[in-house]
């Protein structure tokens, strides 16, 4: 297997890291990319007030998800968990011992490449891995690369070196980016989920008021709570909620907030969800205690209210977006259906349901509930009483 190894402090990881990683992956035709945040960089001290190692690890994970490489990219905590300084030679030895047949390529920017001979055990590094060095800006000239390549080839005959420029790469130093973030700038240089995590954790001097967020800050924060595969669904639900709210006269701002937060706990496992329910004293029935699909709506509502300060109208729309309930509010209906028919959904009957949503909201809601009941009956799965209550309430009105 041809494996790339991309290390660094990632303090924070920005679009330049993402673009370069993807470019090297494609040009070298790698099979796997390992992103490895350093624990204690040997060549520098992390600035005072830097995120914890675990916070840098989580930001690296969020950034790696934006490379578009799917399960071909993996973020490892091996250097963060290792005691003492994080030496690249030690990491490469450990990776080689783990998978001795892999062909390793070490990714690095121009500044690292030009000082490689000063690292600890450069001969070991060059014997265990090829070097893939990339220029971050127009200032990184081929002349500099060629001089260093020649020197390394002469000094370490076993060296394998690949250098490239990455057109359009974001050229920003981590120091400059941290300063911009403290001034309330720099969001465009980060993947939205990474920026949202920074705001949520109040890193780099940011001080977002989580209970009074403008939509442009709530959106990346909401995305930072999600498994990356769920991001298109949540953004699609937001767009559908806007259209439905405008069509039926619901509060558009509240619809957008409810849509962005409706799955904010979906990626948590059952024990984590139950712990949240206990923490926020959320009443649960026996079905909700067993089923994450039901439970996440309740814990999501709890987080939305406690952490993001949502009012009862928004909180209720999140709470009932999975089961529905009798006598649903307009916003609850909008979010239930937006979640059901957002553009990424593809199932038998969705086209008819979408059309009906803009003709008769209650008829569409009844149809959606009946489709859910039929699906659960076909699977011989239990149906939540609130779903039957919602269906019967609508039937009684017609």
């Amino acid at each position: 297997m041809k494996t790339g190894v991309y290390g660094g402090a990632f303090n924070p990881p920005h679009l330049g890291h993402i673009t370069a990683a993807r470019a090297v992956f494609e040009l070298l035709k790698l099979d796997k990319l390992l992103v490895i945040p350093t624990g204690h960089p040997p060549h520098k001290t992390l600035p005072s007030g830097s995120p914890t190692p675990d916070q840098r690890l989580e930001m690296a994970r969020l950034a790696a998800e934006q490379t578009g490489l799917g399960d071909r990219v993996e973020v490892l905590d091996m250097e963060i968990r290792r005691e003492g300084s994080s030496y690249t030679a030690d990491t490469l030895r450990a990776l080689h011992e783990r998978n001795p047949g892999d062909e390793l390529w070490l990714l690095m920017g121009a500044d690292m490449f030009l000082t490689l001979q000063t690292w600890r055990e450069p001969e070991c590094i060059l014997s265990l891995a090829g070097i893939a060095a990339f220029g971050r800006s127009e200032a990184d000239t081929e002349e500099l690369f060629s001089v260093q390549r020649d020197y390394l080839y002469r000094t370490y005959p076993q060296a394998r070196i690949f250098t490239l420029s990455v057109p359009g790469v974001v050229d920003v130093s981590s120091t400059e980016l941290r300063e911009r973030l403290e001034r309330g700038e720099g969001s465009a240089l980060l993947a939205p989920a990474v920026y949202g995590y920074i705001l949520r954790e109040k890193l780099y001097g940011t001080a977002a008021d989580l209970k009074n967020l403008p939509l442009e800050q709530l959106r990346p924060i909401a995305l930072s709570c999600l498994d990356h595969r769920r991001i298109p669904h949540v953004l699609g639900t937001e767009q559908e909620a806007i259209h439905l709210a405008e069509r039926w006269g619901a509060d558009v701002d509240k619809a957008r907030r409810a849509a962005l937060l409706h799955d904010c706990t979906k990626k948590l496992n059952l024990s984590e969800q139950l712990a949240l329910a206990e923490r926020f004293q959320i009443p649960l029935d026996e079905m909700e205690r067993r089923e994450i699909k039901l439970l996440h709506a309740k814990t999501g509502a709890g987080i939305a209210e406690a952490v993001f300060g949502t009012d009862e109208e928004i909180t209720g729309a999140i709470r009932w977006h999975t089961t529905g309930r009798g006598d649903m509010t307009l916003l609850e209906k909008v979010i239930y259906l937006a979640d059901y028919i957002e553009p990424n959904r593809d199932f038998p009957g969705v086209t008819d349901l979408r059309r009906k949503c803009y003709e008769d909201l209650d008829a569409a809601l009844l149809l959606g509930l009946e489709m859910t009941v039929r699906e659960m009956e076909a699977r011989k799965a239990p149906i939540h009483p609130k779903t039957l209550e919602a269906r019967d309430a609508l039937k009684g009105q017609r």
Side-chain angles (χ1 to χ4, degrees), residues 122-286:
E123 185 171 3
C124 174
I125 292 171
L126 290 162
S127 68
L128 291 173
I131 303 300
F134 47 85
R136 296 173 184 268
S137 73
E138 295 300 321
D140 297 323
T141 65
E142 172 56 24
E143 182 179 357
L144 288 175
F145 279 149
S146 63
V147 170
Q148 177 69 344
R149 273 200 313 268
D150 290 345
Y151 169 79
L152 292 175
Y153 281 139
R154 288 195 309 271
T155 310
Y156 310 100
Q158 78 276 27
R160 293 171 292 135
I161 301 171
F162 177 80
T163 58
L164 71 155
S165 60
V166 183
V169 69
V170 173
D171 182 30
V172 62
S173 71
S174 294
T175 300
E176 180 186 352
L177 181 51
R178 291 192 295 269
E179 292 170 352
R180 290 192 190 186
L181 287 167
E182 190 167 7
R183 297 196 302 266
E185 305 167 1
S187 61
L189 301 172
L190 297 160
V194 175
Y195 180 56
Y197 182 83
I198 288 169
L199 293 178
R200 180 155 58 94
E201 296 293 313
K202 301 184 186 301
L203 304 178
Y204 307 118
T206 59
D209 181 355
L210 297 184
K211 293 191 174 182
N212 292 283
L213 290 168
L215 275 166
E216 61 267 21
Q217 290 187 334
L218 177 63
R219 184 178 295 102
I221 288 176
L223 298 184
S224 75
C225 298
L226 302 171
D227 181 294
H228 71 283
R229 292 165 293 190
R230 186 151 294 273
I231 288 177
H233 164 70
V234 168
L235 294 178
T237 301
E238 181 195 11
Q239 290 306 305
E240 200 67 55
I242 292 170
H243 299 321
L244 287 172
E246 290 175 340
R247 172 66 179 87
W248 299 108
D251 187 305
V252 173
D253 183 83
K254 289 186 177 184
R256 296 178 74 176
R257 291 175 185 275
L260 287 168
L261 293 171
H262 81 282
D263 278 349
C264 65
T265 62
K266 188 76 178 262
K267 77 173 183 180
L268 303 180
N269 63 35
L270 184 62
S271 62
E272 290 169 330
Q273 300 245 12
L274 290 172
L276 277 180
E278 182 176 355
R279 174 184 172 189
F280 293 110
Q281 299 182 320
I282 300 169
L284 303 173
D285 59 36
E286 284 307 310

